[in-house]
Amino acid sequence: MTLQINPFILVDGTASEAIAFYQEALGATLLFKQTVGEGPHNPDSPMTEQEKARIAHSVLLVGETKFFVADQELNQPLTHGNGITICITVDTTEEAQQLYDSLKAGGTVDIELAPAYFSPAFGMVTDKFGVCFQVFTKRPQ
């Protein structure tokens, strides 16, 4: 059996902005993007141009990890929480600082990036889309 787990970020109408943000902040590569309007839809339920422009699915690649970003369906409420975070592991404190600074732009600092007993540089931010990221630096071998 092959098992793959991918983070899936749902936002409320700002997926295009989130994709651009993660491309800049994380150096993500956009592998796939489909709008709601590009997918199948019921002709008996017409959509506005704004609804058609919402992102139904996208796939981004950061390092060796694929993650997904989409707009939440209009008929399902979106709730924010920090029960799930995305942990980014890097080799150097310089890389950690760059990612941390990029992700905190427009967001909030949960834990300042600083040395910790388990990492030369560790911090947590909630980005402007409500997604919580941990930035973790490996200990030198």
Side-chain angles (χ1 to χ4, degrees):
M1 174 173 83
T2 300
L3 179 67
Q4 183 178 14
I5 297 175
N6 301 94
F8 200 126
I9 299 171
L10 290 172
V11 294
D12 193 13
T14 58
S16 290
E17 183 183 342
I19 290 165
F21 177 75
Y22 296 130
Q23 287 176 303
E24 179 69 26
L26 301 175
T29 300
L30 180 63
L31 301 179
F32 174 81
K33 180 174 78 171
Q34 182 179 38
T35 65
V36 172
E38 293 170 326
H41 60 277
N42 182 349
D44 296 330
S45 297
M47 290 185 277
T48 67
E49 290 305 310
Q50 186 178 3
E51 290 169 329
K52 290 178 185 178
R54 290 173 71 91
I55 304 301
H57 189 61
S58 70
V59 180
L60 290 94
L61 180 68
V62 175
E64 297 179 12
T65 303
K66 290 179 184 176
F67 70 100
F68 311 138
V69 177
D71 287 309
Q72 179 73 359
E73 292 185 35
L74 288 173
N75 60 352
Q76 297 177 345
L78 183 66
T79 58
H80 292 281
N82 62 359
I84 296 177
T85 63
I86 298 173
C87 184
I88 302 173
T89 302
V90 295
D91 291 324
T92 69
T93 57
E94 293 80 15
E95 292 170 311
Q97 188 68 59
Q98 187 275 321
L99 289 169
Y100 182 85
D101 290 342
S102 293
L103 288 166
K104 76 177 185 180
T108 58
V109 171
D110 301 314
I111 298 173
E112 289 287 344
L113 186 70
Y117 74 92
F118 53 85
S119 173
F122 173 79
M124 288 178 63
V125 296
T126 300
D127 73 13
K128 63 184 175 181
F129 300 101
V131 178
C132 186
F133 286 87
Q134 296 181 32
V135 178
F136 173 82
T137 307
K138 295 178 189 175
R139 285 212 170 278
Q141 299 295 324

